[in-house]
Amino acid sequence: MKKLLLPLFSVILLISCGGLKTSTENQNSGQYSSSGNLKSEKAFNKAYQRIKLKDLKKNLYVIASDEMEGRDTGSRGQKKAGEYIIKFYKDLGISFPKKLTSYYQKVPSSYMNKMGGGNLPDSENILAFIEGTEKPEEIIVISAHYDHVGTKNGEVYNGADDDGSGTVAVMQIAKAFQSAKKAGNGPKRSILFLHVTGEEHGLFGSSYYSDNPVFPLENTVADLNIDMIGRDDAHYNFAKHGIPVAFFFDGIHEDYHRPTDDVEKIDFPLLQKRTQLVFATAWELANREARIVVDKK
């Protein structure tokens, strides 16, 4: 099929007991095994356990703080959030794609405004990259938008769930893959960690990337997009090019686009499980022998 949309509530049964069953499950240890040999399974389990609740909490309390001023597209607060995200990747030793000169892909105001973005200023997508060991030309994209709606009438709309939760999930998934790489178990396919801008105003960041891809779209195996996974209450721009998309989303809740979408309301154990689910999905896609097939029906 052309696109695979996975609303998170439809897969919650997979993670309600603590993880994803990709192949075999060790009932006693609570660890979950990816397909492949024993070495691969051990590497997966070790990386899976690197996604820690305390790290998700630490990063979300920064990303969704008042200091970030609601992270409106192109705003000072969004740029601060972007700087924090980039420092996170630098500290891990994860660089940007070689085709770029930095972690930033500029999204010009002219592009957004001609698409109905009003008078938005220039903004940036943020791209971090781990090159594959065997099939580096094939790309798995893990994406989330890091913008929100800013400040209104003196109130900061922190967007802890929308999409602070997805933003920190991508960061922790990157940490898990990097830990596996350092242990000599890097992914076979390359992983692009894509933080897009302008989504709240009209999906501008993902649209700009699909119109100006850093890697050929025909080499993009799948996009795993994460948007609002921190509560229990698709991106079209990849799917329109025939790229399979899995959309992890927990649904609209009462604090959606309100100043009450705060970190204190995040269910962190659930956020951890969901982040591990996306990581397990990405691990399988990145390390399976054959690229997943698009049947175009």
Side-chain angles (χ1 to χ4, degrees):
M1 58 185 174
K2 279 194 175 182
K3 58 184 177 179
L4 175 62
L5 299 180
L6 297 180
L8 196 52
F9 53 77
S10 71
V11 295
I12 191 62
L13 290 178
L14 290 175
I15 57 172
S16 61
C17 294
L20 173 68
K21 300 178 183 178
T22 56
S23 177
T24 60
E25 179 178 340
N26 184 328
Q27 296 285 355
N28 294 325
S29 68
Q31 294 181 329
Y32 298 83
S33 302
S34 176
S35 60
N37 59 31
L38 183 60
K39 179 182 176 182
S40 176
E41 292 177 356
K42 287 182 176 178
F44 167 77
N45 282 322
K46 189 171 183 179
Y48 180 93
Q49 298 300 328
R50 295 284 293 179
I51 298 173
K52 299 183 183 299
L53 185 153
K54 66 180 180 63
D55 293 333
L56 290 163
K57 181 176 289 189
K58 173 186 174 182
N59 289 324
L60 189 54
Y61 265 98
V62 175
I63 293 293
S65 67
D66 285 351
E67 181 183 354
M68 303 305 175
E69 301 173 347
R71 308 188 307 279
D72 198 8
T73 300
S75 68
R76 178 181 62 179
Q78 190 199 28
K79 292 183 186 299
K80 284 184 180 180
E83 291 168 0
Y84 181 83
I85 293 167
I86 288 172
K87 184 179 184 302
F88 177 88
Y89 287 122
K90 285 182 176 178
D91 289 347
L92 287 176
I94 301 175
S95 191
F96 46 84
K98 294 177 182 177
K99 295 180 181 179
L100 299 180
T101 59
S102 74
Y103 292 90
Y104 292 119
Q105 181 190 44
K106 181 179 178 181
V107 181
S109 60
S110 57
Y111 178 88
M112 294 185 284
N113 296 338
K114 75 178 181 181
M115 296 179 65
N119 296 310
L120 292 173
D122 290 343
S123 191
E124 303 85 21
N125 291 332
I126 294 173
L127 289 74
F129 184 69
I130 295 177
E131 187 171 72
T133 58
E134 295 182 16
K135 302 171 188 268
E137 73 285 352
E138 295 185 10
I139 313 296
I140 307 296
V141 179
I142 305 176
S143 61
H145 70 90
Y146 73 108
D147 65 309
H148 194 51
V149 299
T151 301
K152 300 179 181 180
N153 300 319
E155 289 189 284
V156 179
Y157 287 59
N158 287 316
D161 195 26
D162 185 15
D163 188 23
S165 60
T167 298
V168 299
V170 173
M171 294 162 68
Q172 289 307 124
I173 292 168
K175 183 175 182 178
F177 272 110
Q178 183 70 346
S179 71
K181 179 182 177 181
K182 288 183 176 180
N185 300 296
K188 293 179 181 179
R189 293 176 177 83
S190 297
I191 313 287
L192 176 64
F193 305 97
L194 176 62
H195 298 267
V196 292
T197 187
E199 297 302 277
E200 298 288 15
H201 291 278
L203 308 183
F204 299 138
S206 59
S207 177
Y208 187 82
Y209 181 86
S210 69
D211 287 344
N212 303 273
V214 174
F215 302 99
L217 292 179
E218 60 267 24
N219 291 351
T220 302
V221 174
D223 172 41
L224 306 182
N225 186 71
I226 312 171
D227 196 349
M228 298 172 62
I229 60 165
R231 300 275 289 269
D232 54 4
D233 309 342
H235 272 56
Y236 167 74
N237 289 312
F238 281 88
K240 71 181 181 182
H241 292 285
I243 298 169
V245 175
F247 185 27
F248 297 87
F249 176 62
D250 67 12
I252 302 297
H253 48 68
E254 63 182 3
D255 297 305
Y256 175 73
H257 282 197
R258 299 185 67 181
T260 49
D261 183 6
D262 291 322
V263 179
E264 289 74 20
K265 295 184 178 181
I266 295 295
D267 183 336
F268 280 99
L270 193 61
L271 175 57
Q272 179 189 24
K273 291 176 184 178
R274 290 170 171 178
T275 302
Q276 289 171 327
L277 167 65
V278 182
F279 168 72
T281 306
W283 181 279
E284 178 66 25
L285 290 171
N287 291 299
R288 70 199 314 267
E289 287 303 316
R291 173 176 173 168
I292 58 172
V293 177
V294 181
D295 63 22
K296 299 186 182 297
K297 291 181 181 179

